[in-house]
Amino acid sequence: MRPQQTLTVLGIETSCDETAAAVVRRAPDGAVEVLSSIVASQIAAHAPFGGVVPEIAARAHVEIIDSVIAEAMKAADAGFADLSGVAATAGPGLVGGVMVGLSAGKAIALARGLPLVAVNHLEGHAVSARLGAQIAYPFLLLLVSGGHCQLLEVAGVGRCRRLGTTIDDAAGEAFDKIAKAMGLPYPGGPALERLAEGGDGSRFVLPRSLLGRDGCDFSFSGLKTAAARLAEGVIDPIDRRDLAAAVQSAIARQLSERTARAMTTYVARHGVGDRRLVVAGGVAANGEVRRALTALAEKNGFSFNAPPLAYCTDNAAMIALAGAERLAEGLSDGLDAVARPRWPLDEAAAVDRPTHVAGRKGAKA
Ligand code: KG4
Ligand code: ZN
């Protein structure tokens, strides 16, 4: 694949509870156009269980994957002959679901003689802010989703160095579990943000885990336990609103405090000329998190980018773009690519410094 070509890529995403397909066009100068992005959420199917049920997810993906892909192609006004390649999430995630999307991608690639890119879902999140703005490499990335909470230096496609990760829960997982303890519907993050609106976050004192501690790792389990215990006795609507506000600001504060530390390490390695901060993942949709990071970036002379709201949570446009960026570098995968339940972005760091617990077990970890 020659780098100077405009690439039109079909992306497929099925690693958790969204069945998604998208068509993205990437110009040789890196400009990106999302021609279509279809996301069929399974939230209603999982809501009664308060979380994602792997078996239900896999079956739901099988049922609708074909129609979601057809819808994405139609909305893009494209035929398979217009595509330069197919990109499908190959992990990490619920492996039954990953296999559905990856198999669909392989079938199209084989039938149409197109190159296949087996995309790391986290690499999709890593490039998602580039769907809304051109952002040069390198950048400092805070990846905060339901299964991950990491700080990474991103030097280019597939070139990530992990600076910190959670030693227990991911930030989105903390949002979800605390929301559940407060009796809020799944997924908890957006519900808790709505409840917190106008609340006084200073009324409840919550643990400030790892504050001032060396390194860039995160910890949310203390906060989760304390908030869940408080939630049991909090019934009054104003108290509930203020507790939600306190939880949200505690999470935002920890994210920005640890990111501040990562900025120091990042500047020591890359100098002041490349001060770029990017946040991605479902929790990047949170207004307070965005505000805290915007202020931090401003204070430290970093530019700040977050994906457009629709591309914070799981979607296939980010998978298509990650695929297009790989194709532009001449990278693609064989039809023997396997679905991987676990697949760290910085494999070396994951081997050298494994975390005690990999956050949400099984589902997205
Ligand atoms: O990136 P994502 O869709 O899936 C993963 O790859 O994990 O992230 C989902 C997570 C959930 O934990 C959800 O509660 C959280 O992102 N989330 C939010 C918000 N929107 C989604 N958390 C806080 N505030 C939000 N507005
Ligand atoms: Zn995700």
Side-chain angles (χ1 to χ4, degrees), residues 227-269:
R229 199 169 300 142
L230 276 169
E232 283 169 20
V234 174
I235 301 155
D236 174 73
I238 301 291
D239 291 347
R240 278 170 59 77
R241 186 194 68 186
D242 291 348
L243 178 59
V247 167
Q248 184 171 255
S249 76
I251 293 175
R253 208 184 312 124
Q254 187 181 145
L255 292 176
S256 72
E257 197 264 337
R258 307 312 285 175
T259 304
R261 290 177 170 276
M263 283 175 159
T264 309
T265 309
Y266 178 89
V267 170
R269 285 171 53 83

Side-chain angles (χ1 to χ4, degrees), residues 267-324:
V267 170
R269 285 171 53 83
H270 296 278
V272 292
D274 283 320
R275 284 177 296 178
R276 286 179 278 271
L277 174 65
V278 172
V279 64
V283 178
N286 185 276
E288 176 138 358
V289 168
R290 284 184 182 229
R291 277 191 293 280
L293 295 173
T294 304
L296 175 72
E298 212 163 281
K299 187 174 150 215
N300 291 297
F302 276 60
S303 64
F304 176 67
N305 282 96
L309 277 182
Y311 305 132
C312 287
T313 46
D314 290 348
N315 65 88
M318 67 184 193
I319 303 303
L321 178 56

Side-chain angles (χ1 to χ4, degrees), residues 93-167:
L94 296 169
V95 79
V98 174
M99 283 166 72
V100 173
L102 185 57
S103 304
K106 285 179 181 177
I108 296 167
L110 178 66
R112 307 300 306 203
L114 292 165
L116 172 80
V117 187
V119 173
N120 183 319
H121 177 82
L122 304 177
E123 193 168 304
H125 279 301
V127 300
S128 61
R130 295 157 72 88
L131 289 164
Q134 286 208 38
I135 305 162
Y137 291 116
F139 55 80
L140 175 63
L141 173 69
L142 172 64
L143 175 50
V144 267
S145 68
H148 299 273
C149 189
Q150 304 184 355
L151 279 156
L152 299 144
E153 283 173 16
V154 185
V157 182
R159 286 166 53 213
C160 290
R161 180 170 177 266
R162 195 176 78 190
L163 300 177
T165 187
T166 182
I167 57 172

